[in-house]
Amino acid sequence: MTNAAANKGDGANVAAITISVMLATVMNSLDTTIANVALPHIQGSVSASADQITWVLTSYIVAATIMTPLTGFLSDRLGRKTVFLVSIAGFTVASMLCGIAGNLVEIVLFRLLQGLFGAALIPLSQAVLLDINPPEKHGQAMAVWGAGAVLGPILGPALGGWLTDNLDWRWVFFINLPIGILAFSGVFLFLSEKKSAEKRPFDAIGFATLALAIGAFQMMLDRGPGQDWFGSAEIWTYLVVAVIAVWMFAVQMATAPKPFVARALLADANFITCCVFGFFIGILLYSTLALLPPMMQTLLGYPVAFTGLVSMPRGIGSFIAMFAVGQLIGRVNIKVILMVGLSISAISLWQMTHFSLGMDTHLIIVSGFLSGVGTGLIFVPLSTIAFATVRPEHRAEGAGLFTLIRNIGSAAGISIMQARFVSGIEVHHSTLVEHARPDNPLYQAYAPLVFHTQSAIAGLNGMITRQAAMLSYIDDFRLMLGITILCAPLILLMRSPKTRTETDHHVAVD
């Protein structure tokens, strides 16, 4: 009997392991967005520009994205428990270093370390919960896991706002210390070691080309807005490097005896479909979370703590949805749940396209709550369907690949939406200024008052800039709404998990 099988028969041990790995999951997922509302404070503290400060967010995601594919290999070689303990300890120490950083270079470097150590936490926690629970409870296990993986980034802005306003922005990183200590202790005491019987060789070429492709792609997205995109030789260089690296990775995957990513995973059409769907969900979830806090603070003038409070309904919506999904899986067709979640997310984004400078908090709260519900109804069913056709020996590697693709979507989404937002301000500003001309009746009515002094003209320009910024935010929300609608057909290609009877029969036969 394996350790995983033994764990299944020990209810107390399963509960202890679940709590421990979920603490690690929450700690990791929390850090993907907790710094969002603190960015203006961090920016002032380290004297960074608006473009530079986004590296505090993207450096973490990129580092985690590059290291995530190593999860399966390291777990097989070093053991699941060892990798988990090293990841938790390294992530906790890196969090403390972020809190004491004195300049932009230091905080970006320490955020990179956070991403490197934290990369294994999400896929390993997912694989552990699948291992210690019997197949008929995988839906409930993924509901528990999804709560930690999704509530972290959703509650992050609220917690980050409170800590920044009442203590200091550095506490958004210090908060990880007690969580990390508890998670490390629980994993050390309760989780049994698990290594693969087969020592698969490390495909250095496969890993190097994949990491290079991801890094070059993200650099292209981050540097593009400031370098006039493809009018710059630098951006073309990143693109060429990314394309060549992807081609080399594909060749290595096709020809290597033991490729970096198991070919069985890439041959699983259901798993790949869910990964593609997860890529777009990553864009929708993290882009929205990155856009809303700055919008509320800079355009609507909300204090940082109030911004966090207004963001809370999103977390409440996700919590309700996660609880409901745990009860619905096994009773309702899981693809129906997924479609309902996607529809609710689309309604939420449609509401966001009606934002305005004169609105109150009602529309933000309602749209945020619906967005949380939609995310909760998507995340758990998607994870359950994705691994419905993945064999147990490929779970850790599959979880790493699934998280990798979602993280690529997250990083790409943040960069693309931020770039569109910045360029959109210029476009809308130019359009709005065109209407401030003598033949405009409003111009004639207010000209004696508004255009009398330079300060008045500057005030009018500021008002136009704010309106242009809001219109640019709305453009981003419209694009995300379109992506949401285009994702819907992918659900039809997914395979629902087997029923309990079918699963029991399959296990008995094996």
Side-chain angles (χ1 to χ4, degrees):
M1 179 179 289
T2 64
N3 288 327
N7 285 336
K8 289 177 184 177
D10 188 345
N13 200 48
V14 168
I17 294 172
T18 300
I19 293 172
S20 301
V21 301
M22 289 314 302
L23 283 172
T25 300
V26 170
M27 178 178 68
N28 176 274
S29 62
L30 193 66
D31 255 57
T32 57
T33 58
I34 194 172
N36 286 12
V37 296
L39 276 184
H41 295 261
I42 299 174
Q43 181 179 350
S45 178
V46 300
S47 302
S49 68
D51 290 337
Q52 292 172 334
I53 201 62
T54 58
W55 273 97
V56 175
L57 301 179
T58 56
S59 60
Y60 174 90
I61 297 175
V62 170
T65 300
I66 291 174
M67 287 300 295
T68 296
L70 278 175
T71 301
F73 172 79
L74 293 176
S75 298
D76 291 344
R77 279 299 182 92
L78 304 178
R80 179 181 63 186
K81 181 176 181 177
T82 300
V83 175
F84 226 140
L85 290 174
V86 171
S87 298
I88 294 172
F91 186 89
T92 305
V93 172
S95 297
M96 182 185 68
L97 293 174
C98 286
I100 63 176
N103 54 58
L104 181 64
V105 174
E106 288 182 0
I107 194 170
V108 170
L109 176 61
F110 297 146
R111 285 284 280 177
L112 281 169
L113 286 178
Q114 269 192 314
L116 292 176
F117 282 108
L121 294 179
I122 292 291
L124 269 186
S125 62
Q126 188 175 23
V128 166
L129 289 181
L130 288 170
D131 282 346
I132 65 175
N133 287 278
E136 64 269 19
K137 292 187 177 180
H138 280 181
Q140 288 82 353
M142 287 300 94
V144 173
W145 175 81
V150 175
L151 283 181
I154 288 176
L155 294 179
L159 180 58
W162 186 89
L163 291 171
T164 302
D165 197 49
N166 290 276
L167 298 171
D168 186 80
W169 66 263
R170 300 180 185 277
W171 280 91
V172 303
F173 300 110
F174 291 151
I175 191 66
N176 287 330
L177 269 64
I179 302 176
I181 292 172
L182 288 173
F184 184 93
S185 301
V187 170
F188 179 78
L189 293 173
F190 299 107
L191 183 63
S192 59
E193 188 59 277
K194 179 184 179 182
K195 295 183 181 180
S196 175
E198 177 188 1
K199 298 298 182 183
R200 186 159 54 98
F202 179 59
D203 181 9
I205 296 177
F207 172 70
T209 52
L210 179 61
L212 184 61
I214 294 170
F217 176 67
Q218 189 60 43
M219 286 294 294
M220 181 185 73
L221 294 177
D222 283 341
R223 296 281 294 167
Q227 299 295 321
D228 193 28
W229 288 105
F230 297 107
S232 165
E234 178 185 349
I235 303 305
W236 274 106
T237 301
Y238 293 139
L239 177 61
V240 171
V241 169
V243 171
I244 292 176
V246 169
W247 176 77
M248 293 178 64
F249 176 75
V251 172
Q252 183 70 5
M253 281 293 303
T255 59
K258 297 288 185 179
F260 182 69
V261 178
R263 280 190 281 265
L265 285 173
L266 300 184
D268 189 332
N270 177 68
F271 178 75
I272 293 302
T273 300
C274 292
C275 285
V276 173
F277 191 86
F279 173 86
F280 292 109
I281 295 304
I283 293 178
L284 301 176
L285 173 60
Y286 291 100
S287 297
T288 304
L289 293 172
L291 290 173
L292 288 177
M295 184 198 77
M296 287 187 277
Q297 291 182 63
T298 58
L299 290 187
L300 303 180
Y302 294 172
V304 61
F306 187 69
T307 298
L309 288 175
V310 174
S311 303
M312 280 292 292
R314 183 183 299 269
I316 296 172
S318 279
F319 180 81
I320 294 173
M322 294 289 182
F323 178 79
V325 165
Q327 306 301 313
L328 292 174
I329 288 181
R331 301 178 182 179
V332 178
N333 189 308
I334 198 167
K335 297 199 318 189
V336 172
I337 300 175
L338 199 55
M339 185 63 77
V340 170
L342 195 66
S343 300
I344 294 175
S345 296
I347 293 172
S348 169
L349 286 167
W350 176 78
Q351 290 180 318
M352 292 179 190
T353 62
H354 292 79
F355 282 177
S356 69
L357 292 175
M359 67 179 175
D360 56 21
T361 59
H362 175 76
L363 189 56
I364 298 176
I365 290 173
V366 173
S367 62
F369 177 81
L370 290 178
S371 179
V373 171
T375 301
L377 293 177
I378 290 173
F379 211 84
V380 175
L382 180 61
S383 299
T384 305
I385 293 177
F387 292 93
T389 53
V390 175
R391 296 193 63 83
E393 61 268 24
H394 291 142
R395 278 178 188 156
E397 188 175 359
L401 183 60
F402 185 69
T403 304
L404 162 71
I405 295 175
R406 190 179 69 244
N407 282 347
I408 292 175
S410 303
I414 291 174
S415 297
I416 292 171
M417 296 304 168
Q418 182 65 25
R420 292 187 76 256
F421 168 70
V422 173
S423 62
I425 293 177
E426 298 177 2
V427 173
H428 287 297
H429 187 278
S430 299
T431 302
L432 292 173
V433 167
E434 290 177 359
H435 295 284
R437 56 179 188 260
D439 61 333
N440 188 316
L442 288 176
Y443 180 98
Q444 297 172 1
Y446 290 97
L449 299 175
V450 175
F451 301 101
H452 185 65
T453 64
Q454 289 295 323
S455 60
I457 294 176
L460 176 63
N461 183 66
M463 184 176 66
I464 292 175
T465 301
R466 289 179 66 240
Q467 190 65 252
M470 178 56 76
L471 290 172
S472 190
Y473 275 122
I474 292 173
D475 286 344
D476 277 357
F477 296 139
R478 284 174 177 161
L479 175 60
M480 287 188 278
L481 175 59
I483 293 173
T484 304
I485 295 172
L486 291 175
C487 281
L490 289 175
I491 298 177
L492 301 177
L493 302 178
M494 299 177 188
R495 290 174 56 185
S496 299
K498 296 178 181 179
T499 64
R500 178 170 181 173
T501 302
E502 292 171 334
T503 303
D504 291 343
H505 174 70
H506 175 73
V507 173
V509 170
D510 288 347

Coordinates of all heavy atoms in Angstrom, one line a residue, residues 250-323:
A250 N 9.4 22.5 -29.4 CA 8.5 21.5 -30.1 C 9.3 20.4 -30.7 O 8.9 19.2 -30.6 CB 7.7 22.3 -31.2
V251 N 10.5 20.7 -31.3 CA 11.3 19.6 -31.9 C 11.8 18.7 -30.8 O 11.8 17.5 -31.0 CB 12.5 20.3 -32.6 CG1 13.5 19.2 -33.0 CG2 12.0 21.1 -33.8
Q252 N 12.2 19.3 -29.6 CA 12.7 18.5 -28.5 C 11.6 17.6 -28.0 O 11.8 16.4 -27.7 CB 13.2 19.4 -27.4 CG 13.8 18.6 -26.2 CD 15.1 17.9 -26.5 OE1 15.7 18.1 -27.6 NE2 15.7 17.2 -25.6
M253 N 10.4 18.1 -27.9 CA 9.3 17.3 -27.4 C 9.0 16.1 -28.4 O 8.6 15.0 -27.9 CB 8.0 18.2 -27.4 CG 7.9 19.1 -26.1 SD 7.8 18.1 -24.6 CE 6.3 17.2 -25.0
A254 N 9.2 16.3 -29.7 CA 8.9 15.3 -30.6 C 9.9 14.2 -30.8 O 9.7 13.1 -31.1 CB 8.6 15.9 -32.0
T255 N 11.2 14.6 -30.4 CA 12.3 13.7 -30.7 C 13.0 13.1 -29.4 O 13.6 12.0 -29.5 CB 13.4 14.4 -31.5 OG1 13.8 15.6 -30.8 CG2 12.8 14.8 -32.9
A256 N 12.9 13.8 -28.3 CA 13.6 13.3 -27.1 C 13.0 12.1 -26.6 O 11.7 11.9 -26.6 CB 13.6 14.4 -26.0
P257 N 13.8 11.1 -26.1 CA 13.2 9.8 -25.6 C 12.4 10.1 -24.3 O 11.4 9.5 -24.1 CB 14.5 9.0 -25.2 CG 15.6 9.6 -26.1 CD 15.3 11.1 -26.2
K258 N 12.9 11.0 -23.5 CA 12.1 11.4 -22.3 C 12.0 12.9 -22.2 O 12.8 13.6 -21.6 CB 12.9 10.9 -21.0 CG 13.0 9.4 -20.9 CD 11.6 8.8 -20.6 CE 11.8 7.3 -20.4 NZ 10.5 6.6 -20.0
P259 N 11.0 13.5 -22.9 CA 10.9 15.0 -23.0 C 10.6 15.6 -21.7 O 10.1 14.9 -20.7 CB 9.8 15.2 -24.0 CG 9.0 13.9 -23.9 CD 9.9 12.8 -23.6
F260 N 10.8 16.9 -21.6 CA 10.5 17.6 -20.4 C 9.1 17.5 -19.9 O 8.8 17.4 -18.7 CB 10.9 19.1 -20.5 CG 10.8 19.9 -19.3 CD1 11.6 19.8 -18.2 CD2 9.8 20.9 -19.2 CE1 11.4 20.5 -17.1 CE2 9.6 21.7 -18.1 CZ 10.4 21.5 -17.0
V261 N 8.2 17.6 -20.9 CA 6.7 17.4 -20.6 C 6.3 16.1 -21.2 O 6.6 15.8 -22.4 CB 5.9 18.6 -21.2 CG1 4.4 18.3 -21.0 CG2 6.3 19.9 -20.6
A262 N 5.7 15.2 -20.4 CA 5.3 13.9 -20.9 C 4.4 14.0 -22.1 O 3.4 14.8 -22.1 CB 4.6 13.1 -19.8
R263 N 4.7 13.3 -23.1 CA 3.9 13.4 -24.4 C 2.5 12.9 -24.1 O 1.6 13.3 -24.8 CB 4.6 12.6 -25.5 CG 5.7 13.3 -26.2 CD 6.2 12.6 -27.4 NE 7.0 11.5 -27.1 CZ 8.4 11.5 -27.1 NH1 9.0 12.7 -27.4 NH2 9.1 10.5 -26.8
A264 N 2.3 12.0 -23.1 CA 0.9 11.6 -22.8 C 0.0 12.7 -22.4 O -1.2 12.7 -22.7 CB 1.0 10.6 -21.6
L265 N 0.6 13.8 -21.8 CA -0.2 14.9 -21.4 C -0.6 15.7 -22.6 O -1.8 16.2 -22.8 CB 0.5 15.8 -20.4 CG 0.7 15.3 -19.0 CD1 1.6 16.2 -18.2 CD2 -0.7 15.3 -18.3
L266 N 0.3 15.9 -23.5 CA 0.0 16.7 -24.7 C -0.9 15.9 -25.7 O -1.5 16.5 -26.5 CB 1.3 17.0 -25.4 CG 2.3 17.9 -24.6 CD1 3.5 18.2 -25.5 CD2 1.7 19.1 -24.1
A267 N -1.0 14.6 -25.5 CA -1.9 13.8 -26.4 C -3.3 13.7 -25.8 O -4.2 13.2 -26.4 CB -1.3 12.4 -26.5
D268 N -3.4 14.2 -24.6 CA -4.7 14.2 -23.9 C -5.5 15.5 -24.4 O -5.3 16.6 -23.9 CB -4.5 14.2 -22.4 CG -5.9 14.0 -21.6 OD1 -6.9 14.4 -22.2 OD2 -5.8 13.5 -20.5
A269 N -6.4 15.3 -25.3 CA -7.1 16.4 -25.9 C -8.0 17.1 -24.9 O -8.1 18.4 -24.9 CB -8.0 15.9 -27.1
N270 N -8.6 16.4 -23.9 CA -9.4 17.0 -22.9 C -8.5 17.9 -22.0 O -8.9 19.1 -21.7 CB -10.1 15.9 -22.1 CG -10.9 16.5 -20.9 OD1 -11.9 17.2 -21.1 ND2 -10.4 16.3 -19.7
F271 N -7.4 17.4 -21.6 CA -6.5 18.2 -20.7 C -6.0 19.5 -21.5 O -6.0 20.6 -20.9 CB -5.3 17.3 -20.3 CG -4.3 18.0 -19.5 CD1 -4.5 18.3 -18.1 CD2 -3.1 18.4 -20.0 CE1 -3.6 19.0 -17.3 CE2 -2.1 19.1 -19.2 CZ -2.4 19.4 -17.9
I272 N -5.6 19.3 -22.7 CA -5.1 20.5 -23.5 C -6.2 21.5 -23.7 O -6.0 22.7 -23.6 CB -4.5 20.0 -24.8 CG1 -3.3 19.2 -24.6 CG2 -4.2 21.2 -25.7 CD1 -2.2 19.8 -23.9
T273 N -7.4 21.0 -23.9 CA -8.6 22.0 -24.1 C -8.8 22.8 -22.8 O -9.0 24.0 -22.8 CB -9.9 21.2 -24.4 OG1 -9.7 20.5 -25.6 CG2 -11.0 22.2 -24.6
C274 N -8.7 22.1 -21.7 CA -8.9 22.8 -20.4 C -7.7 23.8 -20.1 O -7.9 24.8 -19.5 CB -8.9 21.8 -19.2 SG -10.5 20.8 -19.3
C275 N -6.5 23.4 -20.6 CA -5.4 24.3 -20.4 C -5.6 25.6 -21.2 O -5.3 26.7 -20.8 CB -4.1 23.6 -20.8 SG -3.5 22.4 -19.6
V276 N -6.0 25.4 -22.5 CA -6.3 26.6 -23.3 C -7.4 27.5 -22.7 O -7.3 28.7 -22.6 CB -6.7 26.2 -24.7 CG1 -7.2 27.4 -25.6 CG2 -5.6 25.4 -25.4
F277 N -8.4 26.8 -22.2 CA -9.5 27.6 -21.5 C -8.9 28.3 -20.3 O -9.2 29.4 -20.0 CB -10.6 26.6 -21.1 CG -11.9 27.3 -20.6 CD1 -12.8 27.6 -21.5 CD2 -12.1 27.5 -19.3 CE1 -14.0 28.2 -21.1 CE2 -13.2 28.1 -18.8 CZ -14.2 28.5 -19.7
G278 N -8.1 27.6 -19.5 CA -7.4 28.2 -18.3 C -6.6 29.4 -18.7 O -6.4 30.3 -17.9
F279 N -5.9 29.4 -19.8 CA -5.1 30.5 -20.3 C -6.0 31.8 -20.3 O -5.6 32.8 -19.8 CB -4.5 30.2 -21.6 CG -3.8 31.3 -22.3 CD1 -2.4 31.6 -22.0 CD2 -4.4 32.2 -23.2 CE1 -1.8 32.6 -22.6 CE2 -3.8 33.2 -23.8 CZ -2.4 33.5 -23.5
F280 N -7.1 31.6 -20.9 CA -8.0 32.8 -21.1 C -8.6 33.2 -19.7 O -8.8 34.4 -19.5 CB -9.1 32.5 -22.1 CG -8.5 32.4 -23.5 CD1 -8.5 31.2 -24.2 CD2 -8.0 33.6 -24.2 CE1 -8.0 31.1 -25.5 CE2 -7.5 33.5 -25.5 CZ -7.5 32.3 -26.1
I281 N -8.9 32.2 -18.9 CA -9.4 32.5 -17.5 C -8.4 33.3 -16.8 O -8.7 34.2 -16.0 CB -9.8 31.2 -16.8 CG1 -11.0 30.6 -17.5 CG2 -10.2 31.5 -15.4 CD1 -12.2 31.5 -17.7
G282 N -7.1 32.9 -16.9 CA -6.0 33.7 -16.3 C -6.0 35.1 -16.7 O -5.8 36.0 -15.9
I283 N -6.2 35.4 -18.0 CA -6.3 36.8 -18.5 C -7.4 37.5 -17.8 O -7.3 38.6 -17.3 CB -6.5 36.8 -20.0 CG1 -5.3 36.2 -20.8 CG2 -6.8 38.2 -20.5 CD1 -5.4 36.2 -22.3
L284 N -8.6 36.9 -17.8 CA -9.8 37.6 -17.3 C -9.7 37.8 -15.8 O -10.0 38.9 -15.3 CB -11.0 36.7 -17.5 CG -11.3 36.4 -19.0 CD1 -12.5 35.5 -19.1 CD2 -11.6 37.7 -19.8
L285 N -9.2 36.8 -15.0 CA -9.2 37.0 -13.5 C -8.2 38.0 -13.1 O -8.5 38.9 -12.4 CB -8.9 35.6 -12.9 CG -8.7 35.6 -11.4 CD1 -9.9 36.1 -10.6 CD2 -8.3 34.2 -10.9
Y286 N -6.9 37.8 -13.5 CA -5.9 38.7 -13.0 C -5.8 40.0 -13.6 O -5.4 41.0 -13.0 CB -4.5 37.9 -13.1 CG -4.4 36.7 -12.2 CD1 -4.7 35.4 -12.7 CD2 -4.2 36.9 -10.8 CE1 -4.6 34.3 -11.8 CE2 -4.1 35.8 -10.0 CZ -4.3 34.5 -10.5 OH -4.3 33.4 -9.7
S287 N -6.3 40.2 -14.9 CA -6.3 41.5 -15.5 C -7.3 42.4 -14.8 O -7.0 43.5 -14.5 CB -6.6 41.4 -17.0 OG -5.6 40.6 -17.6
T288 N -8.5 41.8 -14.5 CA -9.5 42.6 -13.8 C -9.0 43.0 -12.4 O -9.2 44.2 -12.0 CB -10.8 41.7 -13.6 OG1 -11.2 41.3 -14.9 CG2 -11.9 42.6 -13.0
L289 N -8.4 42.1 -11.7 CA -7.9 42.4 -10.4 C -6.7 43.4 -10.4 O -6.6 44.2 -9.4 CB -7.4 41.1 -9.7 CG -8.4 40.1 -9.3 CD1 -7.8 38.8 -8.8 CD2 -9.4 40.6 -8.3
A290 N -6.0 43.5 -11.5 CA -4.9 44.5 -11.6 C -5.4 45.8 -12.0 O -4.9 46.9 -11.7 CB -3.9 44.0 -12.6
L291 N -6.6 45.9 -12.8 CA -7.1 47.1 -13.3 C -7.9 47.9 -12.3 O -7.9 49.1 -12.2 CB -7.9 46.9 -14.5 CG -7.2 46.5 -15.8 CD1 -8.2 46.1 -16.9 CD2 -6.2 47.6 -16.3
L292 N -8.8 47.2 -11.5 CA -9.8 47.8 -10.7 C -9.2 48.7 -9.5 O -9.6 49.8 -9.3 CB -10.8 46.8 -10.1 CG -11.7 46.2 -11.2 CD1 -12.6 45.2 -10.6 CD2 -12.6 47.4 -11.8
P293 N -8.2 48.2 -8.7 CA -7.7 49.0 -7.6 C -7.1 50.3 -8.0 O -7.5 51.4 -7.5 CB -6.7 48.1 -6.9 CG -7.1 46.7 -7.2 CD -7.7 46.8 -8.6
P294 N -6.3 50.4 -9.1 CA -5.8 51.7 -9.5 C -6.9 52.6 -10.0 O -6.9 53.8 -9.8 CB -4.8 51.4 -10.6 CG -4.4 50.0 -10.4 CD -5.6 49.3 -9.8
M295 N -7.9 52.0 -10.7 CA -9.0 52.8 -11.2 C -9.7 53.5 -10.0 O -10.1 54.7 -10.1 CB -10.0 51.9 -12.0 CG -11.1 52.7 -12.6 SD -12.5 51.7 -13.1 CE -13.3 51.4 -11.5
M296 N -10.0 52.7 -9.0 CA -10.8 53.3 -7.9 C -10.0 54.3 -7.1 O -10.5 55.3 -6.6 CB -11.2 52.1 -6.9 CG -12.3 51.3 -7.4 SD -12.9 50.1 -6.2 CE -11.7 48.7 -6.4
Q297 N -8.6 54.1 -7.0 CA -7.8 55.1 -6.3 C -7.5 56.4 -7.1 O -7.6 57.5 -6.6 CB -6.5 54.4 -5.8 CG -6.7 53.4 -4.8 CD -5.4 52.7 -4.3 OE1 -4.5 53.4 -3.8 NE2 -5.2 51.4 -4.6
T298 N -7.1 56.2 -8.3 CA -6.7 57.3 -9.1 C -7.8 58.1 -9.8 O -7.8 59.4 -9.8 CB -5.7 56.9 -10.2 OG1 -6.3 55.9 -11.1 CG2 -4.5 56.3 -9.6
L299 N -8.8 57.4 -10.3 CA -9.9 58.1 -11.0 C -11.1 58.5 -10.0 O -11.6 59.6 -10.2 CB -10.4 57.2 -12.1 CG -9.5 57.1 -13.3 CD1 -10.3 56.3 -14.4 CD2 -9.0 58.4 -13.8
L300 N -11.4 57.6 -9.1 CA -12.6 57.8 -8.3 C -12.2 58.4 -6.9 O -13.0 58.8 -6.1 CB -13.4 56.5 -8.1 CG -13.9 55.8 -9.3 CD1 -14.6 54.6 -9.0 CD2 -14.7 56.8 -10.2
G301 N -10.9 58.4 -6.6 CA -10.4 59.1 -5.4 C -10.7 58.3 -4.1 O -10.7 58.9 -3.0
Y302 N -10.8 57.0 -4.2 CA -11.1 56.2 -3.0 C -9.8 56.0 -2.2 O -8.7 55.7 -2.8 CB -11.6 54.8 -3.4 CG -13.0 54.7 -4.0 CD1 -13.5 53.6 -4.6 CD2 -13.7 55.9 -4.1 CE1 -14.7 53.5 -5.2 CE2 -15.0 55.9 -4.7 CZ -15.5 54.7 -5.2 OH -16.7 54.6 -5.8
P303 N -9.8 56.1 -0.9 CA -8.6 55.8 -0.1 C -8.3 54.3 -0.3 O -9.2 53.5 -0.6 CB -9.1 56.1 1.3 CG -10.3 57.0 1.2 CD -10.9 56.6 -0.1
V304 N -7.1 54.0 0.1 CA -6.6 52.6 -0.2 C -7.4 51.6 0.7 O -7.8 50.5 0.2 CB -5.1 52.5 0.1 CG1 -4.8 52.8 1.6 CG2 -4.6 51.1 -0.2
A305 N -7.7 52.0 1.9 CA -8.5 51.0 2.8 C -9.9 50.9 2.2 O -10.5 49.7 2.2 CB -8.5 51.5 4.2
F306 N -10.5 51.9 1.7 CA -11.9 51.9 1.2 C -11.9 51.1 -0.1 O -12.8 50.3 -0.4 CB -12.4 53.3 1.0 CG -13.9 53.3 0.6 CD1 -14.9 53.0 1.5 CD2 -14.3 53.7 -0.7 CE1 -16.2 53.0 1.1 CE2 -15.6 53.7 -1.1 CZ -16.6 53.4 -0.1
T307 N -10.8 51.2 -0.9 CA -10.7 50.4 -2.1 C -10.7 48.9 -1.7 O -11.4 48.1 -2.4 CB -9.4 50.7 -2.8 OG1 -9.4 52.1 -3.2 CG2 -9.2 49.8 -4.0
G308 N -10.0 48.5 -0.7 CA -10.0 47.1 -0.2 C -11.4 46.7 0.2 O -11.8 45.6 -0.1
L309 N -12.1 47.5 0.9 CA -13.5 47.2 1.4 C -14.4 47.0 0.2 O -15.3 46.1 0.2 CB -14.0 48.3 2.3 CG -13.4 48.3 3.7 CD1 -14.0 49.5 4.5 CD2 -13.7 47.0 4.5
V310 N -14.3 47.9 -0.8 CA -15.2 47.8 -2.0 C -14.9 46.5 -2.8 O -15.8 46.0 -3.5 CB -15.1 49.0 -2.9 CG1 -15.8 48.9 -4.2 CG2 -15.5 50.3 -2.1
S311 N -13.7 46.0 -2.6 CA -13.3 44.8 -3.3 C -13.7 43.5 -2.6 O -13.7 42.4 -3.2 CB -11.7 44.7 -3.5 OG -11.3 45.9 -4.2
M312 N -14.1 43.7 -1.4 CA -14.5 42.5 -0.6 C -15.7 41.7 -1.2 O -15.6 40.4 -1.1 CB -14.9 42.9 0.8 CG -13.7 43.2 1.7 SD -12.8 41.7 2.1 CE -14.0 40.8 3.2
P313 N -16.7 42.3 -1.7 CA -17.8 41.5 -2.3 C -17.4 40.5 -3.3 O -18.0 39.4 -3.4 CB -18.8 42.5 -2.9 CG -18.5 43.8 -2.1 CD -17.0 43.7 -1.8
R314 N -16.3 40.7 -4.0 CA -15.8 39.8 -5.0 C -15.4 38.5 -4.2 O -15.7 37.4 -4.7 CB -14.6 40.4 -5.7 CG -14.0 39.5 -6.8 CD -12.8 40.2 -7.4 NE -13.1 41.4 -8.0 CZ -13.5 41.6 -9.3 NH1 -13.5 40.5 -10.0 NH2 -13.8 42.7 -9.7
G315 N -14.7 38.6 -3.1 CA -14.3 37.5 -2.3 C -15.5 36.7 -1.7 O -15.5 35.5 -1.7
I316 N -16.5 37.5 -1.3 CA -17.7 36.9 -0.7 C -18.4 36.1 -1.8 O -18.9 34.9 -1.6 CB -18.7 38.0 -0.2 CG1 -18.0 38.7 1.0 CG2 -20.0 37.3 0.2 CD1 -18.8 39.9 1.5
G317 N -18.5 36.6 -3.0 CA -19.1 35.9 -4.1 C -18.4 34.6 -4.5 O -19.0 33.6 -4.7
S318 N -17.1 34.6 -4.4 CA -16.3 33.4 -4.7 C -16.5 32.4 -3.6 O -16.6 31.2 -3.9 CB -14.8 33.7 -4.8 OG -14.5 34.3 -6.1
F319 N -16.6 32.9 -2.4 CA -16.7 31.9 -1.2 C -18.1 31.2 -1.4 O -18.2 30.0 -1.2 CB -16.7 32.7 0.1 CG -16.8 31.8 1.3 CD1 -15.8 31.1 1.8 CD2 -18.1 31.7 1.9 CE1 -15.9 30.3 2.9 CE2 -18.2 30.9 3.0 CZ -17.1 30.2 3.5
I320 N -19.1 31.9 -1.7 CA -20.5 31.3 -1.8 C -20.4 30.3 -3.0 O -21.0 29.2 -2.9 CB -21.5 32.4 -2.1 CG1 -21.7 33.3 -0.8 CG2 -22.9 31.8 -2.5 CD1 -22.6 34.5 -1.0
A321 N -19.8 30.7 -4.1 CA -19.8 29.8 -5.3 C -19.0 28.6 -5.0 O -19.4 27.5 -5.4 CB -19.2 30.6 -6.5
M322 N -17.9 28.7 -4.3 CA -17.0 27.6 -3.9 C -17.8 26.6 -3.1 O -17.8 25.4 -3.3 CB -15.8 28.0 -3.2 CG -14.8 28.8 -4.0 SD -14.0 27.8 -5.3 CE -12.9 29.1 -6.0
F323 N -18.6 27.1 -2.1 CA -19.4 26.2 -1.3 C -20.4 25.5 -2.1 O -20.7 24.3 -1.9 CB -20.0 27.1 -0.1 CG -20.9 26.3 0.8 CD1 -20.3 25.5 1.8 CD2 -22.3 26.3 0.6 CE1 -21.2 24.8 2.6 CE2 -23.1 25.6 1.4 CZ -22.5 24.8 2.5

